[in-house]
Amino acid sequence: MENRIYNFNAGPAVLPISVLEEIRDSFLNYDGSGMSVTEISHRSKWFDNIINDAIERIERLLKLDEQFHVLFIQGGASMQFCMIPMNFLKKGTVADYVNTGTWSTKAIKEAIILDKKVNITASSEDKKFSYIPRNIQFNKDSVYAHITSNNTIKGTQWTSFPDTGDVPLIADMSSDIMSRPLDMSKFGMIYAGAQKNIGPAGVCMVIIRDDMLELVQDDLPSMLNYTTYSSKNSMYNTPPCFAVYTIQLVMKWLEKDIGGLKNMEAINRKKAELLYTVIDSGSFYKATAETDSRSLMNVTFRLPNEDMEKLFIQEALENGMAGLKGHRSVGGCRASIYNAATIEAVEALADFMKTFEKKKG
Amino acid sequence: MENRIYNFNAGPAVLPISVLEEIRDSFLNYDGSGMSVTEISHRSKWFDNIINDAIERIERLLKLDEQFHVLFIQGGASMQFCMIPMNFLKKGTVADYVNTGTWSTKAIKEAIILDKKVNITASSEDKKFSYIPRNIQFNKDSVYAHITSNNTIKGTQWTSFPDTGDVPLIADMSSDIMSRPLDMSKFGMIYAGAQKNIGPAGVCMVIIRDDMLELVQDDLPSMLNYTTYSSKNSMYNTPPCFAVYTIQLVMKWLEKDIGGLKNMEAINRKKAELLYTVIDSGSFYKATAETDSRSLMNVTFRLPNEDMEKLFIQEALENGMAGLKGHRSVGGCRASIYNAATIEAVEALADFMKTFEKKKG
C-alpha cells in the first residue's frame, strides 16, 4: 500500500491510513467547494461544519457535559505551560505540580519564569523518573494541581488519576489523549498537542471547565487568554484549519472505525502487551519503567549495550520499522504505539524483536 | 481540472495548483519515507530539509543578508501583536504605531493591554482608513515603529515605505508578503501570517534582524521569546510541520515557476489593473480606497446599493467565482487577488463585472 512503513515515531506520529486517504482524495476539492481544505475561509459553512463536528465528536468520545469547552490553540503543549499559570495564578496564589519527567519539568519552569508560586508536591526524579508517584498529598489551598498523564521519554503513565479533593486537576495529555476512556469529573482542564494521538503538529486541544474560565486573569493579551477562545469558538483569529480538519477525521475514525474509547483502550492494551511480553520473557531486553508505571503508549527499553541498540534500530529500519530510537536525552530504544499504530505493525515489531534476540542474545 | 473554482477569498486563500497537486501526490509517502509529511518526525532528515530549504528560498527571494533570521511561529499575526511589545518594550520605553485600519488597531490594542507606552504617530481613521498617511514624523526615541503594509479590509497598501531614520521599522506583511521585491535594509522585523500569500493557516513567518534580538527582554516565557526560535531554528518544540512544508513548496513555485518577486509584482500589477480599470471605467462600481493608496492584493469596491452587491456576489458564485463578499465589518465587495490568484481568474472576474454592469447598470 504505497510502500508505507511501520511508523513508531514519538510525535509527529502515525495517523490512520483511512484519514490520510480521505485528506488526499479531497485535497483539490473539499466537499464540492471547488477549493482545497487549505483554501476555504474559516468563516465559511465548510469550516464551521469541520470545527463543530470535531467538537461534537470529542464531546461524545469523552462524554463531556456542558460544563466543558473544547478549544483549539496554537503553539503546542509548550504554549500551555505558560498560559496555564498566566491565566489561573493571581499574585500570592500557588499551584501544585507533580514532576514525572522532562515535560512536567518544562511546565514547572515556565510557571517559575513568570514568577508564579509553584509547589512540587511529588516527584519521581529520585529514580530517574522511572515511576509514577503514589499517595500524593495535595495542597488544599492550591489553585490547581498539574500532572503529565503520560511521559513519552521515560515511558511511564498514570494508570489512575490522583484524588485532588476540591483542587482542580489539570493534565497534559499530549501523548495519551483519546487512548482510553476518561472520567472527566476529576479534571478542571486537560490539554494535548495533537501530533501524537489525534492529528498533525500545529494545534493543541484544550478542554476547560466553566469554573476555570472564571479564574482567568484580566489584562492578558488576547491570544493568551482562554476566554478569547471559549467566547469565539476558537476563531478569534484564523485557526490552524488543516490541523483542526485532520482532528475531525481522526475523531470520526475513532467513533466509526474503532467504536469509541473503550475499544481503543482494549486495542492499545493488546499492543502494549505484545511488546512487554517479549521484553519480560528474558534478560536481553530491559524495560526502563517500573512495572506498575509502564506506559501503554511509549514502550521504552534497553538492549545489552549501545552498539547492540544501534544495530537493532538499523536492522528494524531495514525491515520496514521506523522511529525506534529513544529520545536523544536518554538513549536506548522506544516504540511509540499510539492509537493509529496497528496491531499488525506491533506484531511485526514483536516478531522482529524475538528474531533479533535469538540472533544476538 | 477537478471542478476548481476561481477563489477570491481574503484568507485562508487560493494556493498554486501545482503546490496542491504535489502535496496530494506524495501525501501517503513523502519522499520515499514511507510516511505522510504529517507523520515524519520534526527531528528527521526529511523535515530538516523542508525547513532549511524553505528558509534558503525565503532568503534568496527577499535577498536577505546574514543579519536576518527567518522564524516560524504559531498563533498567526495576532500572536505577534503581543509578542512584539513583550519582547522589545522595556518599562519606560515607547513605540510608534501608524494606524491604517482594523489590523493596526488590534496591534495597538495588544500593546496597551500589556501596559506598554504607545505613540499613535499617524492614523487614517479620519477618513475611515481609506488612505495611507504620508510624511509621517516618527519619534526618534521610539524603540520601533510599527505599520501594516497592506490592509485587507479597506483595500489600502503602502506603495513605498516610510523613512524612520534610526528607529527600526516593523511591518505586519500578512497580506502582501512576497507579492513584490522588498528593500529589507529598511526593516528591523517583518512578519506575516501564512494564510494569504505563502501557505495555509497555522504559521506566521517572522524575519528578524540581529539587533532586534538583542533587545529581547529577559524572563519571557519560552514560547513568547524570539530568541527561543532563533536559537533552535524554530524547533524548540514541535513546529507546525505541514504549514512549513506548504510554505516551502510555495517558495519553490515562486522561484521556479514565477521567476522571483520582480516577476510576481508585474503579474500582480497586471491583475490589479484589470479590476481597477473596470471599476474606474464608469460610475457603477466605486473603489473604496483613495487612488494613490490602492492595494494590489485586495480590491475593495461598492455597487450602487446593498441589494445589488448581494446579487453580484451571488451571480459571481453561480459563474464559478467565490469569496467576493467584503469583510463583515464594512460590507461591500472585495476581490482578494493574492499571488496564487491567476490572471485567468482575474480576467474572468473582470469580464463578469463588465457583463453584470451592462445588465444592471
Side-chain angles (χ1 to χ4, degrees):
Chain A
M1 192 195 281
E2 301 261 357
N3 290 315
R4 299 263 302 163
I5 210 165
Y6 291 134
N7 179 351
F8 298 102
N9 275 335
V14 62
L15 287 166
I17 186 80
S18 61
V19 167
L20 296 175
E21 286 170 342
E22 185 168 345
I23 294 171
R24 179 195 61 188
D25 294 344
S26 67
F27 198 66
L28 264 62
N29 187 349
Y30 177 75
D31 193 24
S33 65
M35 300 175 261
S36 171
V37 73
T38 59
E39 300 177 304
I40 58 174
S41 169
H42 58 297
R43 310 275 177 214
S44 66
K45 63 177 181 201
W46 292 287
F47 192 73
D48 252 348
N49 286 343
I50 287 171
I51 196 166
N52 291 330
D53 187 59
I55 291 169
E56 284 163 25
R57 290 182 186 281
I58 291 163
E59 288 169 346
R60 279 198 299 270
L61 282 160
L62 292 174
K63 302 189 196 309
L64 302 179
D65 64 31
E66 58 203 7
Q67 289 180 83
F68 287 99
H69 306 272
V70 179
L71 316 178
F72 299 106
I73 302 182
Q74 293 183 61
S78 295
M79 185 65 88
Q80 296 309 305
F81 296 165
C82 70
M83 280 181 68
I84 290 166
M86 234 181 226
N87 275 264
F88 303 135
L89 284 186
K90 247 195 277 256
K91 238 193 162 104
T93 62
V94 63
D96 281 4
Y97 280 75
V98 180
N99 191 357
T100 54
T102 307
W103 300 108
S104 314
T105 304
K106 288 196 180 204
I108 293 163
K109 181 187 146 205
E110 297 301 322
I112 291 172
I113 286 177
L114 286 160
D115 205 20
K116 305 289 186 180
K117 267 176 80 183
V118 161
N119 215 348
I120 315 293
T121 325
S123 168
S124 52
E125 200 172 1
D126 57 337
K127 292 188 185 169
K128 291 187 181 168
F129 299 119
S130 60
Y131 69 101
I132 299 291
R134 317 269 157 192
N135 305 317
I136 304 166
Q137 289 304 314
F138 289 91
N139 178 350
K140 264 188 264 176
D141 301 325
S142 276
V143 177
Y144 61 84
H146 182 279
I147 62 168
T148 314
S149 62
N150 183 75
N151 303 281
T152 49
I153 294 175
K154 294 295 188 160
T156 62
Q157 187 176 23
W158 294 75
T159 49
S160 65
F161 293 105
D163 184 4
T164 55
D166 287 338
V167 177
L169 182 58
I170 297 181
D172 174 0
M173 294 197 177
S174 295
S175 50
D176 66 354
I177 185 76
M178 299 288 174
S179 69
R180 51 182 173 175
L182 269 185
D183 173 6
M184 281 295 294
S185 71
K186 285 187 166 270
F187 297 97
M189 174 177 148
I190 63 172
Y191 62 102
Q195 70 272 14
K196 295 163 193 293
N197 255 328
I198 57 172
V203 68
C204 185
M205 183 182 82
V206 172
I207 301 179
I208 189 167
R209 211 171 54 195
D210 274 336
D211 58 315
M212 298 304 289
L213 287 171
E214 277 159 33
L215 292 176
V216 170
Q217 299 295 290
D218 290 338
D219 300 334
L220 290 173
S222 305
M223 293 297 290
L224 300 171
N225 185 320
Y226 288 119
T227 62
T228 303
Y229 297 85
S230 63
S231 66
K232 301 277 188 187
N233 200 25
S234 302
M235 290 191 280
Y236 168 75
N237 73 335
T238 317
C241 301
F242 178 79
V244 174
Y245 163 60
T246 309
I247 289 180
Q248 181 213 9
L249 297 185
V250 173
M251 295 304 113
K252 196 172 79 177
W253 169 82
L254 268 174
E255 285 197 292
K256 290 200 166 178
D257 296 11
I258 300 298
L261 298 185
K262 241 174 142 167
N263 290 1
M264 193 71 255
E265 182 179 23
I267 295 169
N268 285 330
R269 284 197 180 281
K270 187 171 168 187
K271 290 187 294 184
E273 216 177 273
L274 279 165
L275 299 185
Y276 286 121
T277 301
V278 176
I279 290 169
D280 292 341
S281 66
S283 59
F284 185 72
Y285 298 107
K286 218 174 150 173
T288 61
E290 292 190 6
T291 311
D292 64 355
S293 299
R294 285 176 175 178
S295 169
L296 300 183
M297 298 281 105
N298 310 94
V299 178
T300 53
F301 55 97
R302 307 293 314 227
L303 272 66
N305 59 62
E306 287 187 11
D307 285 344
M308 199 78 94
E309 288 169 348
K310 255 189 205 158
L311 195 67
F312 174 85
I313 291 159
Q314 186 196 311
E315 288 197 11
L317 190 61
E318 286 160 14
N319 282 274
M321 287 165 265
L324 291 165
K325 205 172 161 182
H327 190 268
R328 60 213 144 89
S329 64
V330 293
C333 299
R334 170 173 57 179
S336 296
I337 48 174
Y338 300 121
N339 284 356
T342 59
I343 290 193
E344 182 200 353
V346 179
E347 281 174 343
L349 175 58
D351 286 344
F352 171 76
M353 288 173 73
K354 283 185 257 181
T355 309
F356 189 87
E357 179 179 356
K358 233 176 254 171
K359 216 168 51 179
K360 309 281 174 189
Chain B
M1 188 194 284
E2 299 262 358
N3 290 315
R4 299 262 303 163
I5 212 166
Y6 291 134
N7 178 352
F8 299 101
N9 274 337
V14 62
L15 286 166
I17 185 82
S18 61
V19 167
L20 296 175
E21 286 170 341
E22 186 169 344
I23 295 171
R24 179 195 59 188
D25 293 344
S26 66
F27 199 66
L28 263 62
N29 186 351
Y30 177 73
D31 192 24
S33 65
M35 299 176 261
S36 171
V37 72
T38 58
E39 299 176 306
I40 58 175
S41 169
H42 59 296
R43 310 275 177 212
S44 66
K45 64 179 182 198
W46 292 286
F47 192 73
D48 251 349
N49 286 344
I50 287 171
I51 196 167
N52 290 329
D53 187 60
I55 291 170
E56 283 163 26
R57 290 182 186 281
I58 290 163
E59 288 170 346
R60 280 198 298 271
L61 283 161
L62 292 174
K63 301 188 198 308
L64 302 180
D65 63 32
E66 58 204 7
Q67 290 180 83
F68 287 98
H69 306 271
V70 179
L71 316 178
F72 299 106
I73 302 181
Q74 293 184 60
S78 295
M79 186 65 88
Q80 297 308 305
F81 298 164
C82 71
M83 279 181 70
I84 290 166
M86 233 181 227
N87 276 263
F88 304 135
L89 286 185
K90 246 194 278 255
K91 238 195 161 107
T93 62
V94 63
D96 281 4
Y97 279 75
V98 180
N99 191 358
T100 54
T102 306
W103 300 108
S104 315
T105 305
K106 288 196 180 203
I108 293 162
K109 181 187 145 204
E110 297 301 323
I112 290 171
I113 286 176
L114 286 161
D115 205 20
K116 305 291 186 178
K117 266 175 78 183
V118 161
N119 215 349
I120 314 295
T121 325
S123 167
S124 52
E125 200 172 1
D126 58 335
K127 291 186 185 171
K128 290 187 181 167
F129 299 118
S130 61
Y131 70 101
I132 300 292
R134 316 271 158 191
N135 306 317
I136 304 166
Q137 289 305 313
F138 288 91
N139 178 351
K140 265 186 264 176
D141 302 324
S142 275
V143 177
Y144 62 83
H146 182 279
I147 62 168
T148 314
S149 62
N150 183 75
N151 303 281
T152 48
I153 295 175
K154 294 296 188 159
T156 63
Q157 186 177 22
W158 294 74
T159 50
S160 64
F161 293 105
D163 184 3
T164 55
D166 288 337
V167 177
L169 182 58
I170 297 182
D172 174 1
M173 294 197 177
S174 296
S175 51
D176 64 356
I177 185 75
M178 300 286 175
S179 70
R180 52 182 172 175
L182 270 185
D183 173 6
M184 281 295 293
S185 71
K186 284 186 167 269
F187 297 96
M189 174 176 147
I190 64 174
Y191 63 101
Q195 70 272 14
K196 294 163 194 293
N197 254 328
I198 56 170
V203 67
C204 185
M205 183 182 82
V206 172
I207 301 179
I208 189 166
R209 211 170 54 196
D210 274 337
D211 58 315
M212 299 303 290
L213 287 171
E214 278 159 32
L215 293 176
V216 169
Q217 299 296 290
D218 291 337
D219 300 334
L220 291 173
S222 305
M223 293 297 290
L224 301 172
N225 184 320
Y226 288 119
T227 63
T228 303
Y229 297 85
S230 64
S231 66
K232 301 276 187 186
N233 200 25
S234 301
M235 290 191 281
Y236 168 75
N237 72 335
T238 317
C241 301
F242 179 80
V244 173
Y245 163 60
T246 309
I247 289 181
Q248 180 212 8
L249 297 184
V250 173
M251 295 304 113
K252 195 172 81 177
W253 169 82
L254 267 173
E255 284 196 294
K256 289 200 165 175
D257 297 10
I258 300 298
L261 298 186
K262 240 174 144 168
N263 290 1
M264 193 72 255
E265 182 178 23
I267 295 168
N268 284 331
R269 284 199 180 281
K270 188 171 168 189
K271 290 187 295 184
E273 217 177 273
L274 279 166
L275 299 185
Y276 286 121
T277 301
V278 175
I279 289 169
D280 292 340
S281 67
S283 58
F284 185 71
Y285 299 106
K286 219 174 150 174
T288 60
E290 292 189 8
T291 311
D292 62 357
S293 300
R294 284 176 175 178
S295 168
L296 300 183
M297 297 283 105
N298 309 94
V299 178
T300 53
F301 55 97
R302 308 293 315 228
L303 272 68
N305 58 63
E306 288 186 11
D307 285 344
M308 199 77 93
E309 288 169 347
K310 254 189 207 160
L311 195 66
F312 174 86
I313 291 158
Q314 186 196 313
E315 287 197 10
L317 189 61
E318 286 160 14
N319 283 272
M321 287 165 266
L324 291 164
K325 205 171 160 182
H327 190 268
R328 61 214 143 90
S329 64
V330 294
C333 299
R334 169 173 58 178
S336 297
I337 49 174
Y338 299 121
N339 284 355
T342 59
I343 291 194
E344 182 200 353
V346 179
E347 280 173 346
L349 175 58
D351 286 345
F352 171 76
M353 287 173 73
K354 283 185 257 181
T355 309
F356 189 87
E357 179 178 356
K358 233 176 250 168
K359 216 167 55 178
K360 309 281 175 187

